[in-house]
Amino acid sequence: MTDIALPESLATARERLHQALNNADRPLNSAALLAVSKTKPASLIRQAWQLGQREFGENYLQEALEKQAELADLDDIV
């Protein structure tokens, strides 16, 4: 995924989640979108955060700690 595609990708993922929750007759706040940020640079995670994404998943603690240090100025990032 390139930086240019990120807004569209997030919008599509959010819409698919919204539709799945509607189809399952579940409240819209009953599930959250977890962005897989493994192998992605902190700059791309920052861009996703600027687009409203707050929850990210990493595979390796060492990579997560490095990115957390780079993104320490962001509020509400999980």
Side-chain angles (χ1 to χ4, degrees):
M1 173 184 345
T2 65
D3 290 355
I4 295 170
L6 184 60
E8 293 83 7
S9 294
L10 273 175
T12 298
R14 289 174 178 148
E15 179 59 29
R16 290 179 66 193
L17 176 59
H18 181 90
Q19 286 298 323
L21 291 171
N22 276 335
N23 292 343
D25 198 30
R26 291 180 53 186
L28 296 180
N29 65 353
S30 66
L33 181 63
L34 179 67
V36 178
S37 54
K38 66 180 187 172
T39 74
K40 303 299 182 207
S43 61
L44 192 60
I45 297 168
R46 182 178 296 279
Q47 183 183 6
W49 182 88
Q50 291 169 337
L51 293 167
Q53 183 63 37
R54 295 296 183 267
E55 295 157 330
F56 298 88
E58 287 285 335
N59 273 8
Y60 299 105
L61 179 59
Q62 181 177 350
E63 289 180 28
L65 293 175
E66 290 173 12
K67 291 175 186 176
Q68 284 176 344
E70 281 188 69
L71 302 168
D73 60 307
L74 302 181
D75 294 329
D76 300 329
I77 193 168
V78 181

